[in-house]
Amino acid sequence: MRKEDKININGKVTTVKEMTVGDVRHWMMDMIAREKSKDEQSSIDLVIDQGFLQEIGLSDIIRMTDITRCQLDHFAPSELMVVVEKCKELNPDFFGLRKKLLGVVPKNALIG
């Protein structure tokens, strides 16, 4: 059974979960689909999604938690870092794969 943990951020309880192999597969398929369907709005969204935080995309946080995209817009970076630390704790293999992939993909491929 996958691991889950709850964290409290300013009085709101958030559930962070371990990603399954299928979750990671869907993450990769979504990244490829976004690359193929670039338009001006999706490019802006992708820059914010992948560039706002250093170690993780905002959409990755949504995949690993019960935080919605709308709720995410109200988090400060310091609050997100609490979530990111728990995501890293429960998903070290995801972060390892992400680091490997970013090492072989040209830097502008995901945001260009």
Side-chain angles (χ1 to χ4, degrees):
M1 181 163 51
R2 77 162 112 190
K3 295 185 253 178
E4 287 188 356
D5 205 350
K6 296 191 183 304
I7 54 175
N8 188 320
I9 302 168
N10 295 332
K12 182 183 181 324
V13 176
T14 297
T15 301
V16 180
K17 62 186 176 190
E18 179 181 29
M19 291 177 73
T20 65
V21 173
D23 292 337
V24 174
R25 183 176 289 111
H26 287 116
W27 166 75
M28 292 190 73
M29 290 171 26
D30 287 349
M31 292 298 287
I32 291 167
R34 273 199 271 180
E35 178 65 24
K36 289 181 179 179
S37 68
K38 282 186 177 177
D39 61 25
E40 189 173 306
Q41 182 61 42
S42 66
S43 292
I44 291 168
D45 289 342
L46 187 57
V47 168
I48 296 298
D49 179 48
Q50 294 299 310
F52 192 74
L53 298 173
Q54 291 182 16
E55 298 177 283
I56 189 172
L58 297 176
S59 61
D60 303 332
I61 291 173
I62 292 169
R63 287 181 188 280
M64 294 181 205
T65 69
D66 60 356
I67 299 171
T68 66
R69 184 166 302 280
C70 184
Q71 291 170 332
L72 190 66
D73 286 347
H74 299 284
F75 278 77
S78 58
E79 294 169 320
L80 289 174
M81 291 314 300
V82 174
V83 177
V84 170
E85 289 306 313
K86 183 56 72 174
C87 288
K88 287 169 55 177
E89 178 186 322
L90 294 180
N91 294 284
D93 295 314
F94 169 82
F95 282 87
L97 175 62
R98 187 177 193 275
K99 185 175 181 178
K100 288 176 190 175
L101 291 174
L102 291 176
V104 297
V105 174
K107 289 187 184 209
N108 64 347
L110 295 177
I111 60 173

